Amino acid sequence: MERFYSNGKLLLTGEYLVLNGALSLAIPTKYGQSLEIKSINESKLIWKSLDEKGNVWFEGEFLADKITTLQAPRNDVSDRLIQILNVAKQLNPNFLNNLNGFNVTTSLGFPRDWGLGTSSTLINNIAQWANVDAYQLLENTFGGSGYDIACAQYNKPITYKLINSEVLKQPFDCAQGDIIKHDEKRLIKEVNFNPSFKHHLYFVYLNKKQNSRDGIAQFKNNTSDLSESISQINNITKSIMSCETIDIFISLIEKHENIISEIIKEKPVKDLLFSDFSGGIKSLGAWGGDFILVASKDNPEAYFKKKEFNTIIPFRNMIL
C-alpha cells in the first residue's frame, strides 16, 4: 500500500493579486487530505472518497487503461477526477500503464465546504502518485496561482510570488539559512510567521462555500493598472510578517481590505456583516465565503456565535 498526504491552505495576504505577482503570505493548515492506494488484480480503479467523519461522499469505478470510461453515471465530481487522471497520464505516460488496478481511498481531514483545499490537496496527492509536477497538473486542470500547491508541500508558513525572467535576475531578499525554492514561474520562501499576539487571532467560517475559480474569473476581467496596488500589498505582506503588536496588525489588514475592495468593487466583509465588531477582520481567498481572519483583544466567540457563525478556530489550532 502507498499513502500520500497534502496540507490544506489559507492565503493570509495577496488574494487576487497573487495572480499578478504580488508577494503573498500563505500558511499550510493542520487539516489536510490523504490518498491511499492498494494494488488489485483487476485492471480498474475502484475509487472511494471519505469526508472528515469517514462517510463516503463519492464512489466511482474507472477502467485503468481507459480512464475516460466510467462504469457508473457521470457527474461533476467524476468528470473532474477523470480530467485530473488523464492530464497526469499525459504528463507521465507510464502512469496507470500496468495490467493491475488499484483500490484508491481519499480521506479529508476537514469539511469540504471549508475551502481549505479539497481540490489542491487531491491534485498534489495524485501528482505524487503519478510522479509528475503538481504545479503543471494544476495549471492543466483547475488553473490558479499555485500557492495552494506550495502549502500542500510545505510544513511552515511561506511567502509566495509568481515571477518572470526579469525578476529572477534580481537578488532575493533573504538571509543565511533561508529555504528558498524557485523555478521560471514562482519564488517560494519558508518564513517564521509566529506573531507574539497569535492568541488574539482566530479563523471564522462564514457558512458559505466560495468557488475560487469564479472569483478568479471575475478578477481577470479587471483591466486597470494594478502595479501600485501590488507594490502596496508587497509592503503590507512584509510588514505583517514583522509586526509586533495587534494594533499595528489590525491597521495593516484593514489597509489590505481597502486595497482589494477598491480593485474588485466589493465592500469588505466587516462593513457588510460585522460593522459593530471592535477588532480587525480580513477576508481570505475569494471574497464572499470560506474563512475570515479575525484579530481581537477579547475572545470573539460569543460575538460570532450570537450572529450564528459557530465555526471559530484559534490561530494555533489551524496553522501547521
Side-chain angles (χ1 to χ4, degrees), residues 276-290:
D276 59 338
F277 185 68
S278 59
I281 294 177
K282 184 187 178 300
S283 292
L284 303 175
W287 282 26
D290 298 338

Side-chain angles (χ1 to χ4, degrees), residues 55-155:
N55 298 320
V56 177
W57 64 270
F58 170 77
E59 286 184 289
E61 288 193 7
F62 309 78
L63 297 179
D65 59 343
K66 295 180 180 179
I67 55 178
T68 56
T69 302
L70 272 177
Q71 298 174 347
R74 296 174 70 112
N75 55 51
D76 289 344
V77 176
S78 59
D79 285 348
R80 274 296 186 179
L81 182 54
I82 290 169
Q83 179 194 21
I84 296 168
L85 293 171
N86 272 318
V87 171
K89 189 167 179 61
Q90 290 167 16
L91 294 173
N92 179 7
N94 292 323
F95 178 52
L96 299 179
N97 209 22
N98 305 358
L99 293 176
N100 62 313
F102 302 93
N103 266 322
V104 183
T105 303
T106 68
S107 300
L108 276 171
F110 55 89
R112 285 194 297 144
D113 58 2
W114 275 12
L116 294 184
T118 304
S119 299
S120 58
T121 52
L122 175 65
I123 285 178
N124 192 64
N125 283 337
I126 290 177
Q128 293 179 82
W129 176 25
N131 195 25
V132 300
D133 183 83
Y135 296 104
Q136 191 65 54
L137 185 57
L138 175 75
E139 186 174 321
N140 293 0
T141 52
F142 289 83
S145 70
Y147 89 87
D148 45 3
I149 296 298
C151 284
Q153 298 176 358
Y154 282 76
N155 294 323

